Amino acid sequence: MDKFMEAALEEAQKGLNEGGIPIGSALVKNGKVVGKGHNMRIQENDPMAHAEIVCLRDAGRIETYGDTILYSTLMPCYLCAGAAVQFGIKKVIVGEAENFTGALEFMEEHDIEVINLNDSKCKGIMQKFIQENKEIWFEDIGKE
Ligand SMILES: [Zn+2]
């Protein structure tokens, strides 16, 4: 597996171990992980604490985002895709988009290159979580 996706998946696993939603993210700049995080919505009772947002916060202030790559185990939602567009991130690599189709078109419309690795491990961890926690998941994506 791509080593950066592996870092994101490790984050997802951490989230699951904490009783949270298993979505992980990593921000890569110059071939190095400069930020990482996992969804903390349940742990922190914070609807904004999506993996990608937590990851961007972890990276802190970095001067430019044009040369960064945002990794996420799952296709980003509109909130996180909006952050990527706002900061000028040009490339987003996702583990999968089967459990959630997210905001793919929105990102592509804003000239972000989105690569889907279609990874079975990323799919598996999320699929199992959704099956066992439908209500929590629908709350996360704003669906009833
Ligand atoms: Zn999100």
Side-chain angles (χ1 to χ4, degrees):
M1 187 194 269
D2 182 307
K3 67 175 177 178
F4 299 125
M5 187 54 70
E6 210 163 318
L9 186 59
E10 268 172 34
E11 283 294 320
Q13 187 62 52
K14 267 190 219 169
L16 188 66
N17 296 347
E18 293 167 4
I21 302 169
I23 304 170
S25 177
L27 187 70
V28 173
K29 190 176 170 89
N30 300 325
K32 278 198 312 215
V33 174
V34 294
K36 55 189 177 170
H38 52 269
N39 187 299
M40 295 287 285
R41 189 171 61 81
I42 293 171
Q43 296 92 314
E44 298 197 339
N45 190 33
D46 179 358
M48 302 293 279
H50 283 199
E52 299 87 338
I53 303 295
V54 173
C55 172
L56 289 167
R57 280 185 170 146
D58 181 57
R61 290 173 60 198
I62 58 175
E63 279 176 22
T64 54
Y65 293 86
D67 58 347
T68 62
I69 305 171
L70 183 65
Y71 282 76
S72 182
T73 54
L74 183 66
M75 183 66 78
C77 72
Y78 282 95
L79 170 67
C80 302
V85 170
Q86 180 63 39
F87 294 129
I89 294 170
K90 295 271 169 267
K91 195 176 203 174
V92 172
I93 299 182
V94 305
E96 60 119 346
E98 222 165 80
N99 289 301
F100 182 58
T101 53
L104 171 64
E105 283 176 23
F106 174 79
M107 287 187 282
E108 286 179 343
E109 280 163 16
H110 289 83
D111 296 324
I112 294 177
E113 181 190 358
V114 182
I115 297 168
N116 181 357
L117 301 180
N118 200 23
D119 179 83
S120 59
K121 283 187 193 159
C122 292
K123 262 187 242 179
I125 192 170
M126 199 56 206
Q127 191 175 32
K128 186 164 184 286
F129 181 85
I130 293 171
Q131 275 166 1
E132 293 169 0
N133 305 275
K134 276 205 171 64
E135 285 167 25
I136 291 172
W137 172 238
F138 286 141
E139 190 186 325
D140 198 69
I141 55 175
K143 296 231 165 81
E144 285 172 29

